[in-house]
Amino acid sequence: MSVERTFAMIKPDAVAGGHTGDIISIIEKAGFRVVALRKHHITRKQAEGFYAVHQARPFFGGLVKFMTEAPAIVMVLENENAIAAWRELMGATNPANAAEGTIRKKFATDIERNCVHGSDALETAAQEIPFFFSSSELL
């Protein structure tokens, strides 16, 4: 096992719903170290850039609108096999399919407002982390 860093986000629906503290508590109790954390209101340009991989999909416009409607919490998490461990803790993208005890099962309302985001691979984490954090912010 190797210690990794992953990008994580508490999305606007969960922040607006008052679930930030609960989610961070779950993260820390699962053994993750929070390397960096900030509340950030994502701009339209940032949302379009961050989710550019989905630009051709029909849900892109709604995703951008959702991600810019309220602040989010952006984070860098560290743990052994952090990417896989964070994705497991988040649960399935569709909360209806998420396992009991996962963050999405507890706090997400539907597949579009699924409360958290996480990098899906080392390469993705390497792109997503510097999208929101400079190297000097990664303590």
Side-chain angles (χ1 to χ4, degrees):
M1 296 197 161
S2 64
V3 174
E4 297 172 343
R5 288 184 173 178
T6 190
F7 177 76
M9 181 189 306
I10 303 174
K11 292 182 178 181
D13 57 327
V15 174
H19 302 300
T20 301
D22 292 330
I23 293 171
I24 292 171
S25 178
I26 291 167
I27 290 168
E28 291 184 317
K29 285 178 183 171
F32 288 89
R33 182 173 82 87
V34 178
V35 175
L37 179 145
R38 160 169 87 251
K39 191 173 195 177
H40 184 78
H41 201 132
I42 299 169
T43 67
R44 179 175 184 80
K45 183 177 179 181
Q46 287 174 323
E48 289 172 345
F50 189 77
Y51 289 106
V53 66
H54 299 302
Q55 190 170 9
R57 298 200 174 168
F59 62 81
F60 181 73
L63 177 61
V64 169
K65 183 178 184 303
F66 162 56
M67 293 305 297
T68 59
E69 71 186 22
I73 304 295
V74 292
M75 301 176 281
V76 177
L77 305 178
E78 186 175 81
N79 201 353
E80 288 190 13
N81 297 308
I83 293 165
W86 173 234
R87 294 191 67 77
E88 183 176 335
L89 187 60
M90 286 191 306
T93 302
N94 184 344
N97 300 331
E100 289 298 326
T102 63
I103 292 170
R104 286 181 172 146
K105 190 66 164 186
K106 289 181 181 183
F107 302 111
T109 56
D110 59 52
I111 194 166
E112 293 177 352
R113 293 180 170 270
N114 60 12
C115 77
V116 288
H117 167 88
S119 303
D120 60 4
L122 286 170
E123 298 79 17
T124 311
Q127 293 172 352
E128 292 179 342
I129 291 170
F131 194 93
F132 288 102
F133 294 99
S134 67
S135 59
S136 65
E137 295 175 289
L138 304 176
L139 306 175

